[in-house]
């Protein structure tokens, strides 16, 4: 089965559990994520702004770790000429990354951006995080179960139970978590 090439928008990578799920799915060869340089910059800015109660350096280290994991998956989207003007200026880099990578799907929780992509005529598939995780589940439930098991075993500093991990993931991927729990 070919690996799905998925462009990940910043709003998918900001929640740590959602990000960890997707990067672990990458480690398990379920997806080949693609991000633009701008996405990682946006993740860092948003984390520092939205989580002002946390040390900015710790948040920068989190993004640096993402950069290391995604090193070969980062696309420079300086040339936006192929992106139609109907795509809003703030998100043109996401569509440019999809075009450069010849991605199968753009994963974003931005409803307006998904609508713009659908109407663009580019033939790109855009979906939200929950639908994308369900797509992964439908393709390979056993592999997704392995990803979740890995997430549970990764938690060393504060171990989590299966139900705690399910609750954390459910916030971002409710359909997939429901299917996973029903199969257990």
């Amino acid at each position: 089965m070919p690996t799905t090439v998925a462009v990940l928008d910043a709003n998918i990578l900001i929640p740590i559990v959602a990000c960890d799920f997707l990067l672990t799915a990458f480690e398990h060869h379920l997806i080949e994520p693609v991000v633009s340089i701008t996405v990682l910059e946006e993740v860092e800015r948003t984390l520092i702004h939205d989580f002002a109660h946390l040390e900015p350096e710790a948040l920068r280290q989190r993004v640096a770790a993402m950069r290391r994991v995604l090193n070969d998956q980062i696309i420079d989207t300086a040339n936006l000429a192929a992106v139609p003007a109907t795509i809003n200026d703030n998100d043109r880099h996401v569509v440019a990354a999809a075009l450069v990578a010849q991605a199968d799907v753009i994963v974003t929780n931005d409803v307006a951006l998904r609508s713009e992509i659908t109407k663009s005529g580019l033939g790109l598939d855009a979906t939200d995080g929950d639908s994308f995780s369900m797509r992964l589940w439908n393709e390979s439930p056993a592999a997704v179960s392995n990803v979740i098991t890995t997430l549970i075993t990764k938690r060393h500093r504060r171990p989590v139970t299966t139900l705690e991990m399910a609750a954390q993931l459910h916030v971002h991927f409710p359909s997939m978590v429901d299917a996973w729990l029903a199969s257990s």
Side-chain angles (χ1 to χ4, degrees):
M1 167 175 52
T3 303
T4 300
V5 177
V7 172
L8 305 177
D9 195 1
N11 58 44
I12 293 294
L13 295 171
I14 290 168
I16 194 161
V17 172
C19 179
D20 202 11
F21 173 80
L22 292 167
L23 295 184
T24 304
F26 173 45
E27 291 171 0
H28 284 252
H29 308 289
L30 286 176
I31 65 170
E32 183 168 334
V34 174
V35 295
S36 71
I37 293 168
T38 308
V39 159
L40 292 175
E41 292 168 351
E42 186 178 335
V43 168
E44 185 171 310
R45 270 193 322 275
T46 302
L47 287 172
I48 291 170
H49 179 268
D50 290 358
F51 297 91
H53 62 286
L54 298 175
E55 288 294 322
E57 188 52 35
L59 298 171
R60 285 186 189 96
Q61 287 176 8
R62 176 181 164 204
V63 176
M66 290 169 58
R67 278 190 179 98
R68 283 190 300 276
V69 169
L70 294 169
N71 184 50
D72 294 333
Q73 315 307 120
I74 300 171
I75 293 184
D76 182 358
T77 55
N79 183 358
L80 302 174
V83 180
T86 56
I87 304 295
N88 73 79
D89 288 342
N90 291 333
D91 292 314
R92 293 171 60 82
H93 62 95
V94 175
V95 174
L99 294 172
V100 170
Q102 298 179 324
D104 300 305
V105 62
I106 297 173
V107 185
T108 180
N109 286 331
D110 183 333
V111 176
L113 176 58
R114 288 196 315 268
S115 176
E116 290 171 5
I117 292 167
T118 300
K119 294 174 184 174
S120 72
L122 294 171
L124 295 171
D125 182 19
T127 190
D128 62 89
D130 184 41
S131 298
F132 182 67
S133 68
M134 196 62 201
R135 175 177 170 172
L136 296 176
W137 174 262
N138 288 333
E139 289 173 3
S140 183
V144 171
S145 291
N146 289 337
V147 168
I148 296 170
T149 299
T150 300
L151 290 176
I152 294 166
T153 59
K154 277 186 188 182
R155 301 302 195 268
H156 297 293
R157 280 191 261 180
R158 190 182 96 59
V160 296
T161 66
T162 300
L163 290 178
E164 287 171 325
M165 180 54 67
Q168 291 174 21
L169 286 169
H170 196 273
V171 171
H172 309 288
F173 310 119
S175 300
M176 184 267 300
V177 170
D178 290 346
W180 175 63
L181 289 172
S183 74
S184 299

